[in-house]
Amino acid sequence: MKTRILVKEGEYRLSKAFCMDPKIDAEELFCFLTGMDKVTLFLKAEEEVDSETEEKYMELIEKRASRVPLQYITGVQEFMGHTFKVSPQVLIPRQDTETLVSEAARVIRETPKEKLSLMERLRGAKEWDILDLCCGSGAVGISLAKIFSNVRITATDISGEAVKLAGENARALRVRAKFLEGDMFEPVKDRRFDMIVTNPPYIKTNMISILQDEIKKHEPLSALDGGRDGLKFYRIITDKAADHLKAGGFLLMEIGSDQGEDLRKMLKDSGKYTAAEVIRDLPGKDRVVKCRLK
């Protein structure tokens, strides 16, 4: 069978299984199997595929048709221009979360020079101690470390598998970071940071059942379930983050698109933080809440 026809058959089977992007996934799986890029795939469209490759390809197609996420099949996901290893033990990094990284990067870039210590002025930049809370694959903290040389990343997650995978990603991307296993702030105890960034679980428990099969059947529930109202972990963070921020330190949290006002009120009622700002993502939805310790 010719490459073009085989990939078209893969697309057809994925379409029948109601996969969201059947054409893209069919091509990605063929490239993953053969080591081709998209250009080579196009150039070799009329070449014959051997029977062994054809069989292995259709096995991958059937796996994807069963709604296993493409990223869990290939084992990787692109995020902020870098390739991260992923597994069913961690949430797949999404473009939405790039808003969190971009806003954190903007804060770091725009810190006024007059607020730097003498040693920081001599170095030419502020030294940032950053906590990536609920780090999962490590995508947020590692991405910040790839952008800036003046950040020190500590990352925590309750999942030992996630911590291990995040460490592998850091080594693969040549980033120095410390990864600690434990529940929320427990691993950092009395430490304080210049910035805390976090993408905690925030989906309402009763909404998980209506998510896509790829999410509800394959991604880790512990990384999705935010409790009855989706705000369980934000309450913990609002209460405890102040004990782990330096004076004037920043708190940035990814949120669901309908949670901005809830978080703004929660932070205000705590009395510990400055007025919260809600940042929107590229489609214009509320995505990040940012504030500072008073």
Side-chain angles (χ1 to χ4, degrees):
M1 187 181 295
K2 290 183 178 180
T3 298
R4 173 178 55 80
I5 297 173
L6 179 62
V7 174
K8 196 67 179 177
E9 175 65 19
E11 178 187 346
Y12 172 71
R13 295 196 186 189
L14 295 182
S15 179
K16 281 187 65 178
F18 302 104
C19 294
M20 185 173 292
D21 299 301
K23 184 176 187 297
I24 293 173
D25 288 0
E27 292 175 350
E28 289 284 353
L29 287 172
F30 192 83
C31 289
F32 167 69
L33 176 64
T34 61
M36 292 183 185
D37 57 26
K38 291 291 184 69
V39 174
T40 306
L41 175 60
F42 174 78
L43 294 174
K44 294 188 175 183
E46 299 303 321
E47 291 188 5
E48 293 290 329
V49 179
D50 64 82
S51 58
E52 182 180 355
T53 299
E54 183 178 331
E55 182 179 351
K56 289 181 178 179
Y57 176 68
M58 294 314 300
E59 288 175 358
L60 293 178
I61 288 294
E62 291 308 312
K63 191 172 185 179
R64 178 70 187 98
S66 70
R67 306 302 287 275
V68 176
L70 175 70
Q71 295 88 341
Y72 289 159
I73 298 173
T74 63
V76 295
Q77 168 71 345
E78 294 296 313
F79 182 83
M80 295 296 295
H82 304 290
T83 300
F84 287 84
K85 290 177 64 176
V86 294
S87 74
Q89 283 70 50
V90 299
L91 197 70
I92 298 167
R94 289 166 167 80
Q95 188 176 14
D96 292 342
T97 305
E98 294 190 357
T99 305
L100 176 63
V101 176
S102 297
E103 185 61 23
R106 191 181 69 80
V107 169
I108 294 169
R109 286 194 185 99
E110 295 181 2
T111 298
K113 292 287 185 182
E114 61 269 17
K115 294 187 177 182
L116 304 186
S117 68
L118 176 60
M119 287 303 296
E120 287 171 339
R121 290 183 186 180
L122 290 173
R123 294 189 188 105
K126 176 178 174 60
E127 296 292 312
W128 290 82
D129 275 318
I130 299 177
L131 174 63
D132 179 3
L133 187 70
C134 307
C135 70
S137 65
V140 171
I142 292 170
S143 295
L144 287 171
K146 291 296 290 184
I147 297 170
F148 301 102
S149 61
N150 58 315
V151 301
R152 291 187 294 270
I153 301 295
T154 301
T156 67
D157 200 285
I158 195 170
S159 165
E161 291 91 348
V163 168
K164 180 181 178 181
L165 185 65
E168 292 175 9
N169 279 324
R171 289 188 291 274
L173 291 170
R174 299 183 179 181
V175 163
R176 295 185 64 181
K178 182 180 290 185
F179 297 95
L180 304 172
E181 179 183 352
D183 190 11
M184 301 300 284
F185 293 100
E186 187 276 330
V188 292
K189 300 189 187 308
D190 299 325
R191 287 190 59 189
R192 290 181 179 266
F193 300 87
D194 297 292
M195 178 185 289
I196 296 172
V197 291
T198 182
N199 178 20
Y202 58 71
I203 298 174
K204 296 176 183 177
T205 301
N206 64 0
M207 297 297 289
I208 290 175
S209 63
I210 67 171
L211 296 175
Q212 293 174 330
D213 285 350
E214 284 87 345
I215 300 173
K216 68 184 180 185
K217 291 184 178 180
H218 298 283
E219 298 203 56
L221 182 64
S222 61
L224 298 169
D225 192 346
R228 180 183 58 81
D229 60 359
L231 302 175
K232 173 184 175 180
F233 292 96
Y234 295 113
R235 292 190 181 93
I236 298 170
I237 295 166
T238 298
D239 181 45
K240 301 294 185 183
D243 297 329
H244 297 278
L245 283 170
K246 299 176 185 179
F250 289 85
L251 173 61
L252 289 89
M253 300 180 281
E254 179 170 333
I255 60 170
S257 60
D258 60 347
Q259 295 173 324
E261 288 307 311
D262 288 332
L263 265 294
R264 200 199 302 267
K265 184 177 186 300
M266 189 183 299
L267 292 162
K268 180 181 179 181
D269 290 348
S270 76
K272 300 175 183 179
Y273 308 95
T274 60
E277 179 184 356
V278 178
I279 292 94
R280 293 179 175 176
D281 57 20
L282 288 176
K285 297 180 180 179
D286 290 352
R287 188 57 58 193
V288 172
V289 166
K290 178 182 70 175
C291 61
R292 301 184 72 172
L293 183 66
K294 284 185 177 178

